[in-house]
Amino acid sequence: MLSLFWQIYLSFLFLTFLIVFFFSRNALTNLPFLELFRTAYAQWIFLLLAEAALSFFVSWVIQKPLKQIRQFLLSKNGKKPDLEKYMNRSDEIGALTSTVLKTFASSDAAIADLTSQQRYLASILENLNDGICIVDQHGIVRILNQAAKRMFNIPENAISGQPLIETIRHYRVQELWQTCQEKNTQQTMQIETSPERNYLQCIATPLEPATEGNILILFQDITRLHQLEIVRRDFVSNVSHELRTPLTSLKLITETLSDGAMEDPPAQKRFLAQMEKEIDNLTQLVQELLELSRIESGLVPLQKKSIAPSILLADAANRMQVQAERAGLEFTYDCVPNLPEVLIDQERLEQVLINLIHNAIKFTPPGGKVHISAAQKGDRIIFSVQDTGIGIHPKDIDRIFERFYKTDRSRSQSGTGLGLSIARHLVEAHEGKIWVESTVNKGSIFSFSIPIRQ
C-alpha cells in the first residue's frame, strides 16, 4: 500500500510543481517562482499535507478490494472475505472480482471431484484381496495396501517411504523388482512366504509412460490353487495306483491261463475266481469315484425326512451283525431313549454308519469288540462307532478323511480308500461334522454329529 501511496503522492507533487511553474512563466503573478515558495510557506505546507491525505485515501480506496481478493485467494479453511459486494462495480475491480469468484468455484468443484476420486481409489486399494506395492526408481515403496501387509506380516501402521528390501523382507521380491527395472518389461514369479507357507504369484509391471521409473508389484495368493494342484496330482497318482494293481493281476492271470492253465480245471477255477474278485474291486473303485464326484459337485439330491436316531442305528446294526459275528467280534449297540428326531436322508446316513462299522470290523482282530451308539449333545445327535482294533497313528488322523488316503497299517487290507471321504461329504451335506479319536493298539471311536430337527 505504501508504494502505491508514494506513487500517487509524488504524482500530485509533480503536477503542483508544473502548475506553479507554468503560472510564474506566463506572468500570471508578479512574484518570481522561488519567491512564491518563500512568501506562501504555510500554504505550501498545508497543500503538501492535503495532497498526502488525498494520496493516502486514493491508495486505500484502490487497494482495499485488491487486498480482500488476495486474502480470499490465500485463505484455506478460515473465514473468507465477502467479495460479492464488489461484483456490481463497473470498473476493473468488479470484473476481477467476478472472474476470481467463478474461477474459485470451478476449482472447488474440481478439487472436490479429485478428493472423491482419491477416496474411491484408496477404498478400492485397501479392500482388494490382492496385494499392491508401487516402488519408485530408487527402490522406495510409495504405496502398500493392507492385503500386501497381511501377506508379509507387515505392521498395520507401517508407512510408505521405506526401501523395498526393508519393507518386504523377501529377497526374491527384490530380485523381481530389479529384473523388471532392468528389462523394462513385465516379470512374473512365484514365491513361498514363511512361516505360514503361503504361495504367492508376483507380477511386476512398469508404470510407463504415466509415471516413468515406477513399478507396480501385484501379489496374488495362490495357496488354494497350489493345494488343489497337489490334490489333483495325488488324485491322479492314487487312481493310477488303484487301477494298476487289479489290472496287473488280471493281465498275469490271463497270461497264466494262456500258457496252459486252461488245461488244469482246479487252477482254472481258482484263476477265474481271482479274476472275478479283481473285476469286483475295479467296479467298486469306479462306482465310489463316481459317487464321490457327484457328492462333491452337489449333484446328489438328499431325500430328507424326519426319523428317530434309534431307527437309523438299528437298521445299520442289523445289516452288519452277521458280518461282525463271522469275524469273531462282539457286536453291540445302544441308543438313549426318546431322542429328538433328525431331518436326514436315511439311506445316505445309513451308508455312512455301515462304512464306519465295516472299517471297525475290518481293523479289529478276532475276540475284539465293536459298539455303536447315539446320544444327544446340545442341539445335535452324536452317532459313534467304537472298536478295540489296531487304532490310528496320530500323524494319520488329520488326513484319514482324504481321498485314497490309507494308513501304513491298512495298506495290506482291501479297499479303495474312498469310503471315509464319501462319509465326510455326506455328513457335511447334512450340516454335520465327522471326527475320530484313536489310540494305537487300543482302538478308535469314529463319531459324527447331525443337527436336531427344529
Side-chain angles (χ1 to χ4, degrees):
M1 185 173 180
L2 291 177
S3 60
L4 180 62
F5 163 77
W6 284 111
Q7 291 176 12
I8 296 174
Y9 184 49
L10 291 175
S11 298
F12 280 151
L13 290 178
F14 181 70
L15 182 61
T16 302
F17 175 79
L18 287 179
I19 291 173
V20 173
F21 182 77
F22 177 77
F23 284 166
S24 64
R25 288 291 183 181
N26 289 279
L28 296 177
T29 179
N30 295 324
L31 297 173
F33 179 73
L34 294 177
E35 191 65 23
L36 286 173
F37 285 99
R38 297 191 187 98
T39 58
Y41 179 78
Q43 290 84 349
W44 281 109
I45 294 297
F46 175 78
L47 180 62
L48 291 175
L49 292 175
E51 289 180 344
L54 181 62
S55 299
F56 183 84
F57 176 76
V58 172
S59 64
W60 180 81
V61 170
I62 294 175
Q63 286 199 329
K64 181 182 178 181
L66 295 176
K67 183 178 180 181
Q68 290 189 336
I69 292 173
R70 181 173 180 271
Q71 290 177 347
F72 181 87
L73 294 174
L74 293 179
S75 60
K76 295 181 179 179
N77 299 322
K79 184 177 180 181
K80 295 181 181 295
D82 182 16
L83 300 184
E84 293 185 359
K85 58 187 176 183
Y86 300 120
M87 290 186 64
N88 295 326
R89 291 177 54 162
S90 58
D91 57 1
E92 292 299 320
I93 296 295
L96 177 61
T97 302
S98 179
T99 302
V100 166
L101 290 176
K102 290 179 181 178
T103 304
F104 196 82
S106 62
S107 65
D108 271 354
I111 291 172
D113 184 57
L114 289 174
T115 303
S116 176
Q117 291 185 18
Q118 185 180 25
R119 284 199 299 267
Y120 282 130
L121 291 175
S123 177
I124 292 172
L125 191 65
E126 291 305 313
N127 288 282
L128 281 175
N129 290 327
D130 294 336
I132 297 291
C133 179
I134 296 180
V135 187
D136 67 12
Q137 58 186 346
H138 303 295
I140 304 299
V141 175
R142 294 305 175 189
I143 294 177
L144 188 71
N145 71 345
Q146 293 298 323
K149 292 178 181 178
R150 287 193 301 270
M151 291 175 180
F152 293 96
N153 293 321
I154 301 172
E156 293 286 331
N157 57 356
I159 60 175
S160 303
Q162 301 297 322
L164 176 62
I165 191 62
E166 295 181 8
T167 304
I168 301 178
R169 299 181 180 276
H170 199 295
Y171 74 97
R172 297 201 66 194
V173 176
Q174 182 76 13
E175 291 177 355
L176 178 68
W177 170 73
Q178 291 176 342
T179 304
C180 182
Q181 189 179 46
E182 294 170 0
K183 297 184 178 180
N184 201 33
T185 58
Q186 187 179 87
Q187 303 292 320
T188 303
M189 71 164 51
Q190 293 184 7
I191 65 173
E192 180 182 358
T193 63
S194 58
E196 293 84 0
R197 296 187 62 83
N198 290 330
Y199 291 87
L200 303 179
Q201 178 169 271
C202 310
I203 304 174
T205 305
L207 296 178
E208 294 185 352
T211 52
E212 185 175 357
N214 287 1
I215 293 176
L216 167 67
I217 305 179
L218 176 67
F219 302 103
Q220 296 176 323
D221 191 341
I222 58 170
T223 304
R224 179 61 178 165
L225 293 176
H226 188 268
Q227 292 172 344
L228 290 175
E229 177 62 20
I230 293 175
V231 170
R232 185 193 66 80
R233 288 200 303 263
D234 289 346
F235 175 77
V236 172
S237 175
N238 288 325
V239 169
S240 300
H241 173 75
E242 295 295 334
L243 290 174
R244 187 188 306 115
T245 301
L247 288 175
T248 301
S249 179
L250 287 173
K251 187 174 186 302
L252 291 174
I253 292 172
T254 55
E255 289 177 352
T256 304
L257 291 173
S258 298
D259 290 342
M262 293 287 292
E263 306 302 329
D264 185 357
Q268 178 186 9
K269 186 176 181 180
R270 187 174 67 254
F271 285 133
L272 289 175
Q274 183 64 29
M275 288 180 66
E276 184 178 3
K277 180 180 178 181
E278 297 297 345
I279 292 172
D280 288 343
N281 289 338
L282 282 173
T283 303
Q284 181 186 359
L285 174 62
V286 173
Q287 288 177 343
E288 290 188 355
L289 279 173
L290 292 174
E291 176 80 357
L292 183 60
S293 176
R294 286 195 295 265
I295 294 172
E296 288 181 335
S297 60
L299 298 179
V300 177
L302 298 178
Q303 307 297 328
K304 291 185 178 181
K305 62 180 180 180
S306 294
I307 186 173
S310 58
I311 296 177
L312 178 66
L313 205 66
D315 288 349
N318 291 334
R319 291 181 58 181
M320 301 302 293
Q321 181 77 42
V322 175
Q323 184 175 340
E325 291 175 353
R326 288 178 178 174
L329 304 177
E330 180 183 339
F331 184 75
T332 58
Y333 74 93
D334 68 72
C335 181
V336 176
N338 302 320
L339 288 177
E341 292 187 343
V342 288
L343 186 63
I344 60 171
D345 185 324
Q346 181 179 357
E347 180 181 351
R348 293 295 180 180
L349 283 192
E350 189 174 320
Q351 176 185 351
V352 173
L353 269 175
I354 289 175
N355 181 273
L356 297 180
I357 297 171
H358 176 76
N359 286 344
I361 295 172
K362 182 165 59 174
F363 296 108
T364 301
K369 298 179 181 180
V370 174
H371 178 74
I372 62 176
S373 61
Q376 181 178 356
K377 185 176 181 180
D379 60 348
R380 292 177 174 264
I381 300 297
I382 309 296
F383 296 89
S384 299
V385 177
Q386 182 176 2
D387 65 60
T388 58
I390 61 176
I392 304 170
H393 197 278
K395 69 180 180 65
D396 296 317
I397 287 180
D398 290 338
R399 301 191 60 190
I400 198 69
F401 295 102
E402 293 181 10
R403 289 179 295 186
F404 294 109
Y405 188 78
K406 293 183 179 182
T407 64
D408 294 335
R409 305 181 72 181
S410 66
R411 293 190 181 277
S412 59
Q413 301 285 343
S414 61
T416 61
L418 295 173
L420 289 178
S421 181
I422 293 174
R424 176 173 65 89
H425 282 87
L426 287 175
V427 170
E428 291 175 353
H430 285 80
E431 300 179 2
K433 180 183 177 182
I434 188 169
W435 66 95
V436 60
E437 303 168 63
S438 184
T439 303
V440 176
N441 297 325
K442 290 187 178 180
S444 305
I445 304 176
F446 280 84
S447 304
F448 64 91
S449 61
I450 299 296
I452 295 173
R453 180 186 182 187
Q454 301 297 326

